[in-house]
Amino acid sequence: MDESYSIESSSNSIKRVTEIPFRGQIYDRYGKLIVYNTPVYDLLVTPYKVKMDDTLRFCQVLGIERHDFDSLMAAASAYSRVKPSLFLRQLSKEDFASIQDIMVDYSGFEFAKSSLRTYTAPTLANTLGYVSEITKGQLEKQEEPYYRQGDYIGQSGVERIYENELRGKRGTKFVMQNVAGVYKGSWKNGELDTMAVAGENLYTGLDLEVQQYADSLMLNKVGSVVAIEPKTGQIISMVSAPTYDPNILASRYFSKNFAALVRNPYKPLFNRPVMASYRPGSTFKLIQALIGLQEGVITPGSGFTHANCPVGCHNHPATSTVALGVTHSCNPYFYNVFRRLIYKNNIKNTFKASAVGLDAWHDDIAKFGIGQRLGIDLPSEYKGNLPDKKYYDRFYGEYRWKFSNIYSLSIGEGELLITPLKMANVAAIIANRGYFYTPHVIHGVGDKKTVKPEFLERHETGVDAHNFEPVIEGMIGAVEAGTARRSRVEGITIAGKTGTSQNKRGDDHSIFIAFAPVDDPKIAIAVFVENAGAGGSAAAPIANLIIEKYLSRKVTNKALEERMMKLDLMSKVVLPTTKKPGETETKKKTEEVKKPTGDPNDPANRLPGAPHPANPAAMRGPITLPKQSHQKAL
């Protein structure tokens, strides 16, 4: 007979105590601790047992107001008068030590051990995510009855994706107590007790030192940094600017702090590396060149004139090769490459030829991860937009559009939308000469450091390795003598490409993707800085400083470093406007959209459920909220 069944009938003398396990800890690639647990205590109350002779003294002991006491007791009674529920959460060891002796005078209250997520550095808030009390909806939807009211659960980031691994296994102890609730020892010497098992530790590819350095370069800016180890797909650094100190969501003041972050117009909870969408601009020309070479519409020695070309050109030397086209980021060059790709068929009707050509182009580009979710181990990844025949048929009608309607795609504009993560992955593909592993934050789970099988799968782009060489040659030229030359790093050969993403809501966005060293790539990176203008002005310097920091563990160009750290783009911020009193959207709703505008802010160019691509700009550094009193916390 299982004696645990008889325990409920002896509930007056035997008490079941649930032990909550510590969540697993999180480490960086060098074994540095990023997230750990600090022991704390929760104060529970069983309303029907409460006998309060001196409520005022009780409030003074806990540092709360009388109205707080009344509201907390009302909430506990509404939940259950006979079951214990949370009264005060996360009292420190010092708080517990100072009041535990006094609390024996107040029946109906008891302490339960708990823990608090603690961070070794104020960084990676959006990537790590946060834990908070499980919601009513989550309780109702759980597939197996593990969680109870008051339990904590991972709500975002790594904490959410790896919740099952991190949460551990509950323990149960049976103790004896008298009618006054005084502890009298363990039941049957602990024969029926089960020990709590801590959650599994997570091992990341993140470099904590480089991450904090990247954070410092992105202060007073809005945008993203994503750095990947090309050979494995491990994320080295992931910055979402603006950010906040993760410790402010790991305290008893969670509700107030979270509400403040939600109200903040700069959207610090928005994880830009995987959720923000942009036009890729000239960085997309790299993929155009690779597809053109693979499809045979160009050779490494192909050159083009600017005659009859509707896209403008910068003032640069002739582009008689693919490498020079990349180095000088020549718009007419890639207009002609794209035109050849679209009309690479024997169909004489230009409308039908364009439709067939676009779908073939679409399938080639998709192999680079564009227009789809890569599958990173973070929630809410945005798949972006890669238009195909059906996309344009919605606006123009079938076979009523042709190349002249879509040529802006040739230079990474038009209806293309990507995330910073995707462009960092493109840099990794080029570094690997044709393949990639799904980018991922966690490369090991538990003592065995188990890797998810999907992160070990090699994805091929279908572009032969030899076709990458002229493109890489052009990328080296861009850093050594082209659009990114002002931020080159002595002693490290970097292959990079600048981009300028058009933006109707203020200044254009600065983009740069790169990898290094060229002969043995160890880091691939994408940097997006909103409202910063050309790719060489902000994104390229920041990326190259991070590359040097990662590879050399030092930075030699201190003048450039200081300039980037001091660069403040707050004056260029264009915050979303609010609707004026009495303003209606009737006209907007009745307007017929006849064709794509190329504007990523146009709802027609956004996929259902996608976040708005016009991201508000950064705060001045990580958000920190002032310490609050006990009274304000409740």
Side-chain angles (χ1 to χ4, degrees):
M1 177 180 176
D2 185 350
E3 292 189 60
S4 63
Y5 286 107
S6 65
I7 290 172
E8 294 301 329
S9 62
S10 306
S11 59
N12 287 332
S13 58
I14 308 300
K15 180 181 179 182
R16 183 194 302 262
V17 179
T18 299
E19 288 197 332
I20 305 298
F22 280 118
R23 287 179 75 83
Q25 301 183 140
I26 304 177
Y27 295 85
D28 88 340
R29 63 170 45 232
Y30 300 114
K32 292 180 182 177
L33 196 58
I34 302 175
V35 187
Y36 62 100
N37 305 286
T38 298
V40 291
Y41 294 84
D42 294 339
L43 182 62
L44 309 179
V45 62
T46 305
Y48 90 96
K49 293 182 178 181
V50 173
K51 294 178 181 178
M52 192 66 59
D53 295 328
D54 190 347
T55 305
L56 238 116
R57 179 172 177 268
F58 179 84
C59 291
Q60 288 171 351
V61 167
L62 293 179
I64 63 176
E65 298 289 347
R66 174 58 192 262
H67 65 82
D68 294 324
F69 172 84
D70 292 339
S71 63
L72 289 167
M73 286 300 300
S77 298
Y79 167 64
S80 173
R81 287 192 51 77
V82 297
K83 293 181 181 179
S85 62
L86 187 67
F87 188 81
L88 279 182
R89 189 185 286 282
Q90 298 171 340
L91 299 171
S92 68
K93 288 188 293 183
E94 292 75 20
D95 290 338
F96 171 70
S98 67
I99 65 174
Q100 64 170 327
D101 292 337
I102 302 170
M103 290 301 295
V104 297
D105 297 336
Y106 300 97
S107 60
F109 292 90
E110 59 185 306
F111 289 102
K113 288 183 180 180
S114 184
S115 63
L116 186 71
R117 278 314 230 184
T118 310
Y119 304 85
T120 57
T123 185
L124 288 163
N126 301 83
T127 301
L128 297 171
Y130 61 89
V131 297
S132 69
E133 189 172 336
I134 191 168
T135 65
K136 183 179 179 182
Q138 289 172 324
L139 274 173
E140 293 171 350
K141 290 178 182 177
Q142 60 178 323
E143 295 179 1
E144 50 187 78
Y146 177 86
Y147 300 99
R148 304 168 304 173
Q149 183 173 348
D151 284 348
Y152 267 29
I153 187 173
Q155 299 285 12
S156 69
V158 166
E159 296 277 12
R160 173 177 164 184
I161 296 298
Y162 293 90
E163 169 64 21
N164 290 346
E165 292 84 356
L166 285 167
R167 72 187 184 188
K169 186 178 180 181
R170 298 181 189 281
T172 304
K173 285 187 177 182
F174 298 98
V175 299
M176 296 184 294
Q177 60 184 23
N178 62 19
V179 291
V182 178
Y183 174 74
K184 292 296 182 181
S186 62
W187 168 252
K188 287 188 173 294
N189 294 318
E191 289 179 10
L192 301 179
D193 295 353
T194 58
M195 296 292 291
V197 179
E200 295 185 286
N201 294 332
L202 299 183
Y203 300 90
T204 75
L206 296 163
D207 185 326
L208 189 57
E209 181 182 347
V210 170
Q211 173 69 31
Q212 291 180 273
Y213 181 67
D215 283 337
S216 69
L217 293 172
M218 290 298 290
L219 287 176
N220 304 322
K221 306 169 186 68
V222 62
S224 303
V225 174
V226 181
I228 300 174
E229 184 176 66
K231 291 183 177 67
T232 64
Q234 293 177 24
I235 300 291
I236 296 168
S237 175
M238 183 172 278
V239 177
S240 180
T243 187
Y244 61 95
D245 184 348
N247 285 292
I248 70 173
L249 292 186
S251 74
R252 72 172 79 171
Y253 311 123
F254 172 87
S255 295
K256 288 184 178 294
N257 290 350
F258 186 80
L261 292 174
V262 169
R263 290 193 304 268
N264 192 292
Y266 303 106
K267 308 299 180 188
L269 291 170
F270 185 67
N271 192 11
R272 288 172 170 82
V274 297
M275 297 171 68
S277 56
Y278 307 85
R279 295 158 167 167
S282 293
T283 58
F284 192 73
K285 294 171 181 175
L286 300 174
I287 306 178
Q288 298 279 42
L290 291 166
I291 298 300
L293 289 164
Q294 184 65 29
E295 292 295 331
V297 301
I298 56 173
T299 68
S302 293
F304 296 99
T305 69
H306 296 175
N308 301 317
C309 187
V311 292
C313 183
H314 327 300
N315 184 22
H316 59 72
T319 51
S320 54
T321 64
V322 169
L324 288 172
V326 170
T327 294
H328 299 299
S329 196
C330 178
N331 287 339
Y333 191 96
F334 292 96
Y335 167 88
N336 282 290
V337 172
F338 185 51
R339 191 174 190 280
R340 286 190 178 183
L341 284 168
I342 295 301
Y343 287 133
K344 189 199 170 190
N345 51 60
N346 296 320
I347 301 172
K348 293 184 178 179
N349 183 304
T350 55
F351 294 98
K352 291 184 178 180
S354 296
V356 170
L358 182 67
D359 272 354
W361 172 86
H362 173 280
D363 292 345
D364 286 337
I365 300 295
K367 293 176 183 177
F368 284 75
I370 308 300
Q372 59 191 287
R373 293 179 181 89
L374 292 174
I376 189 173
D377 48 354
L378 290 174
S380 306
E381 182 191 355
Y382 176 45
K383 69 180 183 179
N385 191 34
L386 177 61
D388 57 7
K389 174 184 178 296
K390 290 181 181 178
Y391 183 90
Y392 290 110
D393 284 351
R394 284 167 44 204
F395 299 99
Y396 295 100
E398 190 173 18
Y399 303 129
R400 295 173 66 92
W401 56 271
K402 55 183 178 178
F403 175 78
S404 60
N405 299 107
I406 63 170
Y407 67 79
S408 60
L409 297 176
S410 65
I411 56 173
E413 296 295 341
E415 291 71 46
L416 275 169
L417 288 177
I418 51 84
T419 61
L421 174 68
K422 292 185 193 302
M423 294 316 295
N425 192 56
V426 168
I429 289 171
I430 300 173
N432 291 333
R433 277 71 169 174
Y435 66 89
F436 70 94
Y437 291 97
T438 300
H440 54 283
V441 178
I442 305 301
H443 73 77
V445 178
D447 294 337
K448 296 182 179 179
K449 297 187 178 179
T450 308
V451 183
K452 288 187 176 183
E454 57 264 38
F455 297 148
L456 300 175
E457 182 183 352
R458 176 165 156 161
H459 303 278
E460 301 287 347
T461 60
V463 178
D464 297 334
H466 67 86
N467 285 324
F468 285 83
E469 297 313 314
V471 173
I472 293 172
E473 180 187 343
M475 294 173 70
I476 295 171
V479 176
E480 296 294 324
T483 52
R485 62 188 179 279
R486 288 176 294 178
S487 58
R488 61 190 298 272
V489 178
E490 292 294 336
I492 301 176
T493 305
I494 299 174
K497 180 72 187 77
T498 56
T500 305
S501 180
Q502 292 182 9
N503 173 36
K504 284 193 174 182
R505 298 173 60 88
D507 290 356
D508 291 338
H509 306 317
S510 176
I511 306 175
F512 185 68
I513 71 171
F515 67 90
V518 168
D519 294 333
D520 183 21
K522 291 181 172 61
I523 181 173
I525 192 168
V527 175
F528 285 62
V529 185
E530 295 191 15
N531 310 113
S537 62
I542 289 171
N544 290 343
L545 286 167
I546 293 170
I547 287 172
E548 184 181 17
K549 181 71 172 178
Y550 179 69
L551 296 178
S552 306
R553 315 312 291 182
K554 63 181 181 180
V555 171
T556 54
N557 194 339
K558 293 296 182 181
L560 181 64
E561 177 185 68
E562 184 179 3
R563 183 158 60 85
M564 287 300 106
M565 287 185 175
K566 288 183 177 180
L567 180 62
D568 187 341
L569 298 173
M570 294 301 292
S571 62
K572 297 180 181 295
V573 174
V574 180
L575 292 174
T577 55
T578 55
K579 191 166 62 173
K580 296 177 182 178
E583 183 182 352
T584 66
E585 296 184 358
T586 307
K587 182 179 179 182
K588 182 179 178 181
K589 289 179 180 178
T590 56
E591 254 180 9
E592 181 182 357
V593 180
K594 295 183 179 180
K595 65 177 182 179
T597 62
D599 179 6
N601 297 317
D602 186 340
N605 294 330
R606 290 166 55 208
L607 300 183
H612 198 286
N615 304 315
M619 298 188 66
R620 295 184 177 272
I623 298 167
T624 54
L625 299 180
K627 292 183 179 179
Q628 302 172 54
S629 67
H630 286 294
Q631 289 87 341
K632 290 183 179 180
L634 299 169

